[in-house]
Structures are given as structure tokens and as C-alpha cells.
Amino acid sequence: MSEPSSPPVPAAPEPVTLPIASSTRVFPVRRVYCVGRNYVSHIREMAEADERDDPFFFQKPRDAVVRGATVVPYPPATNDFEYEGELVVAIGVGGSAIPVQEADKHVFGLAAGIDLTRRDLQVEARQRAWPWEMGKSFDASAPVGAITPVSGLHEVKDGELRLTVNGVERQKSALSLMIWSPAEIVSRLSRQYRLEPGDLVMTGTPAGVGALAPGDAIHLEITGLEPLDITIGTTRD
Ligand code: MN
């Protein structure tokens, strides 16, 4: 009796990597964590929650990460596709229950990133007490720029985030206005998950989020880091 034919075994997925500024080496991405609310200005514009709530976390799939200087497709299933400019912390040394004062030892570098959001689906999920996944964790939802290695989180403490769409300024905030500092975020996240090298943490967005249209060009700059540019694709499903 002949063996039943079986379908071909799929090849392993490609690793996801990000460029490292001033280096030919690349940063291997393991997981992408995001902070839900971290600037009072954004909580107020979303008319959300208590401003003193603990930070909460969600994830995007590793393969949602896309590099800068690329076209990001306008995603399906939404009529309110929005940008959120964010500082991204790249973990270089793993650990769990990391004290705030030791967070620096676990950080490899920093980058500019955009938490792309299907806002209509996120809001519906919030209202129905469903997971945020459909609004946050879709394909190509995490553009991240080149990672700049740092000696510690102090290097960006006094920095500023500025995002433009088609050259018009939409978001501008001091990073010091975060409710939870990057070190506090690393510490708190590491009490819920063991952090490992390659993890990225998107640290939340300030006020000024807004809808994108096909063809829009987004530019995000954070003091001392490589800027991130993406363009939204011109076709929709
Ligand atoms: Mn966000």
C-alpha cells in the first residue's frame, strides 16, 4: 500500500529584524509589547479611564513589524485607520521582576515607532469588553525605525516626539509627559512576562492621534533617534 501523499511542510517563517543605526548588524525581534495609555493628553482626547490607572499592556504579532521607508497597506475591515507615534524600547538583556533602577541594564536601544490602529474596531471592542486585538494587532500594524543603541534611558529623557502627516504637524510632546517612564514600564511589564532579548516595548502615544487616508506620508522624529517615514498604500480592499 502506498503512503498517502501529504501536503508539503511549510518553510519556517522569515526572522523579523530591524536595522541598528550606524551598524551593518540587525536587531532580531522576538515580541512586541505596547502600553495602552501613557500620556494624560491622549487619555483626555479619548475620554477614557482614570488618569491614575496602572499601565496595561497588549501585544502585536512579531510579523506585524515593518521597517521604515516602506509603504504600509491601508488595512481591511476599517474606516478609521489611525497613527500613534511612540517611543520604542528595545530589550537587549532578559529578565523578570526587574527593579525600576535596573531597567537600564536590560535596554539595548531606542527607536521611533507607530502603533497603527483600526480605531473603529478598537472602540467597538472597548465598548463590548472584547480584546483589543482586532483593532491593534493586524498585519503591518507596527512600523519601527532603526534602533539606536543607548547607554541608558536617560539619553532620551529630555527628548521630544513629533509626528507629521503630509508635512503637517499632528503630534508634539515632551517624552517627560509620560505617566509611566520607560524604566517603570520595563519594570512593570517584567512582572507579568519574562522579558527576553529582542523584545520591543511601544511606550504609548501623546495627544493628536488621527485618521489616515490612502497615500498619506507619515514622518516621526524623536530627539536623538533615527526618524521613521512610512507611506500608506493607495489601494484598499
Ligand atoms: Mn499606542
Side-chain angles (χ1 to χ4, degrees):
M1 206 170 79
S2 63
E3 297 252 327
S5 67
S6 56
V9 175
E14 291 289 315
V16 176
T17 62
L18 289 168
I20 297 171
S22 308
S23 171
T24 55
R25 304 192 63 186
V26 293
F27 182 85
V29 178
R30 175 180 177 262
R31 289 187 184 168
V32 184
Y33 295 101
C34 305
V35 178
R37 310 178 178 102
N38 204 27
Y39 290 81
V40 168
S41 61
H42 178 58
I43 293 173
R44 288 183 181 161
E45 78 178 344
M46 298 294 288
E48 266 192 315
D50 193 300
E51 293 167 8
R52 295 156 302 176
D53 278 356
D54 273 3
F56 78 94
F57 301 98
F58 59 93
Q59 291 186 50
K60 292 177 184 262
R62 176 211 327 254
D63 65 357
V65 172
V66 292
R67 294 182 175 204
T70 51
V71 175
V72 172
Y74 194 105
T78 184
N79 289 305
D80 190 6
F81 178 42
E82 297 199 351
Y83 56 82
E84 297 187 353
E86 309 200 0
L87 173 71
V88 180
V89 176
I91 300 295
V93 176
S96 55
I98 298 166
V100 173
Q101 61 274 19
E102 290 184 17
D104 277 351
K105 296 179 190 167
H106 298 266
V107 174
F108 171 80
L110 299 167
I114 304 173
D115 169 13
L116 290 172
T117 301
R118 296 191 286 207
R119 188 74 67 200
D120 41 4
L121 300 190
Q122 185 207 6
V123 169
E124 182 185 10
R126 208 174 69 199
Q127 287 167 350
R128 295 177 180 240
W130 287 347
W132 279 21
E133 213 158 335
M134 301 292 276
K136 287 289 193 180
S137 308
F138 51 96
D139 295 341
S141 59
V144 179
I147 294 172
T148 299
V150 293
S151 62
L153 293 162
H154 60 275
E155 286 194 24
V156 80
K157 184 170 64 71
D158 299 320
E160 183 179 78
L161 175 157
R162 181 173 177 272
L163 181 144
T164 66
V165 180
N166 303 326
V168 178
E169 185 177 286
R170 300 293 188 188
Q171 292 189 288
K172 184 180 164 88
S173 176
L175 296 173
S176 60
L177 294 177
M178 287 185 187
I179 297 170
W180 303 95
S181 70
E184 288 171 326
I185 290 168
V186 166
S187 175
R188 284 176 175 257
L189 180 59
S190 74
R191 292 187 220 161
Q192 303 200 40
Y193 298 93
R194 181 180 167 81
L195 298 182
E196 296 289 356
D199 288 345
L200 300 177
V201 188
M202 304 186 82
T203 57
T205 200
V209 302
L212 293 165
D216 279 350
I218 309 168
H219 175 78
L220 173 61
E221 52 192 39
I222 296 177
T223 312
L225 307 183
E226 295 282 313
L228 169 65
D229 285 277
I230 60 164
T231 303
I232 306 305
T234 51
T235 57
R236 292 189 55 168
D237 283 2

